[in-house]
Amino acid sequence: MVNIKVPLNPVQKRGLWPPKGGREYPVLDTDDWWKIAAREHMDAWALIEFNFQTHVPEEVNWYLRELVGCRHSRDGGRNYAFLGADPKLRKIYLPAVPPPPPPKPIPWPDKLKEAPVRGGAFERSAKGTLPLHAQGDGEPP
């Protein structure tokens, strides 16, 4: 029998299930906390904490049974696995991915705004685009 301990104040009774801002993730039979966390680039216990607000393995097992519908173990009966979870319940939540911050604007120095830009056989300047040898230096490129 899997080790289970009923939490003193379960997350669903505190209005914390599903977690606020979480993305629903339907678990696969082959998933475990460590595989999912690795795909999300986070610590497995941080993912468990995000879902169930606990680090107590026996409480995690209770939540897996009650909220995720887990009924089977892969480690000899110590902990529940996602394998064969109830199809109506078999989901956990992933933290929302914040959008990446916008890139910082690079200040454009005034000196560079006025400088000619060389590109190929032409030069851009305040005079317009002319072949380099026609801009007054007398030498072809």
Side-chain angles (χ1 to χ4, degrees), residues 9-127:
N9 197 4
V11 291
Q12 69 273 29
K13 290 187 178 180
R14 293 183 280 151
L16 299 174
W17 180 263
K20 304 289 185 253
R23 297 177 286 138
E24 187 176 297
Y25 175 77
V27 294
L28 306 172
D29 283 347
T30 56
D31 277 334
D32 63 43
W33 290 108
W34 281 257
K35 287 179 186 175
I36 298 167
R39 281 194 304 262
E40 293 296 310
H41 306 286
M42 64 185 303
D43 176 71
W45 280 104
L47 180 58
I48 293 168
E49 174 76 24
F50 178 76
N51 277 271
F52 305 137
Q53 302 291 305
T54 187
H55 283 188
V56 179
E58 294 83 5
E59 291 179 1
V60 173
N61 282 326
W62 185 85
Y63 284 120
L64 285 171
R65 186 185 70 192
E66 298 299 315
L67 300 180
V68 186
C70 298
R71 296 288 185 259
H72 303 284
S73 173
R74 284 193 167 149
D75 63 2
R78 288 189 337 216
N79 298 295
Y80 280 122
F82 295 127
L83 172 70
D86 182 338
K88 296 175 192 159
L89 300 175
R90 65 178 308 141
K91 61 187 167 221
I92 62 168
Y93 293 85
L94 307 175
V97 178
K104 291 185 178 182
I106 300 171
W108 195 254
D110 289 333
K111 289 180 181 178
L112 291 177
K113 289 179 187 174
E114 302 300 323
V117 178
R118 292 184 182 256
F122 293 92
E123 181 176 332
R124 265 185 244 134
S125 69
K127 300 175 194 172

